[in-house]
Amino acid sequence: MTIKTLLLAAALATPGLVVASQASAQVNGVGVADFQAAVANTKAWAAARTQIETTYKAQIDQSNARRAALQAELQPMVTKFQAAQAAPGATQASLQPQYQAIQAREASAQQELNRITAPVQRAQAYAIEQISGHMNEAVQAAVRAKNVSLLLRPEAASFAQPAADVTPAITAELDRVVPSVGITPPAGWQPGQNGAAGAAPAATAPAARATPAGRATGR
């Protein structure tokens, strides 16, 4: 599971605003905001991340050690596949068994790592949902303060003046309304069950994928 999936990255449609692309400075009431960065930069998320890394240190250390072992196991398989791929006369049919074996082992390894880090992932998702659940009100307060009538996402345009960026104002509002969050979900809690909208921070997950560098690809 990637960190973006884990942290509930989702599009935000705030009532009264059009969220589309990046724009120039707040001329004619136009601004730009990166909702993922707004959440990532909050004090509540920084504190929660530190607390999670401390509380679940055993699971994180175990996953890191296991990931290294799995990468060491997978790398010879990938090297052998790449050699076979470069050999004269190699065909998709002849390479397919090795490729499928690598894919199967990678999938199995990732499932193992996910089981180890499940408590970490759950705590992260819970912390993020508490912050992003206040995104709408934070955006509304920020655009009112900045006199923005059209708020745009940063993906679709090629240029924006720094003055157009409303992201820090949104983070400041989130800091105000969500000074801290818990990392222990209540019994029966599931990510997204409260319908919280918002974007997750582009943070680094404690546990990474087991896929080695130079992953094999089919020919």
Side-chain angles (χ1 to χ4, degrees):
M1 179 179 295
T2 65
I3 189 61
K4 288 185 179 179
T5 300
L6 168 65
L7 298 181
L8 309 177
L12 173 66
T14 304
L17 300 177
V18 178
V19 180
S21 62
Q22 199 165 16
S24 59
Q26 290 148 281
V27 178
N28 298 323
V30 178
V32 59
D34 183 334
F35 302 114
Q36 291 186 3
V39 178
N41 294 329
T42 59
K43 296 175 182 177
W45 169 243
R49 185 173 56 190
T50 298
Q51 187 178 357
I52 289 168
E53 290 172 355
T54 300
T55 302
Y56 297 100
K57 185 178 185 302
Q59 289 90 338
I60 293 170
D61 289 348
Q62 181 186 0
S63 71
N64 287 338
R66 188 63 185 129
R67 183 178 69 251
L70 290 166
Q71 287 175 332
E73 176 185 338
L74 281 163
Q75 190 58 57
M77 298 173 65
V78 173
T79 300
K80 182 179 178 181
F81 174 85
Q82 290 173 334
Q85 193 176 34
T91 65
Q92 183 173 354
S94 67
L95 295 170
Q96 194 67 13
Q98 289 186 60
Y99 180 65
Q100 290 178 338
I102 292 171
Q103 284 192 313
R105 188 65 189 100
E106 284 181 341
S108 175
Q110 191 58 47
Q111 288 175 0
E112 180 181 351
L113 292 175
N114 285 343
R115 286 193 297 270
I116 294 172
T117 60
V120 183
Q121 296 173 359
R122 184 173 171 81
Q124 289 175 328
Y126 182 58
I128 286 299
E129 188 165 298
Q130 291 171 83
I131 300 169
S132 60
H134 293 273
M135 180 64 80
N136 282 359
E137 60 185 290
V139 169
Q140 293 288 355
V143 297
R144 283 196 301 268
K146 297 290 186 179
N147 196 28
V148 171
S149 58
L150 178 64
L151 186 61
L152 307 169
R153 285 189 181 277
E155 293 88 4
S158 58
F159 176 76
Q161 293 286 353
D165 191 4
V166 185
T167 306
I170 296 174
T171 295
E173 285 298 323
L174 288 171
D175 284 340
R176 184 181 66 82
V177 298
V178 197
S180 63
V181 294
I183 65 168
T184 305
W189 177 85
Q190 294 298 327
Q193 68 180 15
N194 296 326
T204 301
R209 289 184 58 85
T211 305
R215 173 175 174 163
T217 56
R219 180 165 177 160

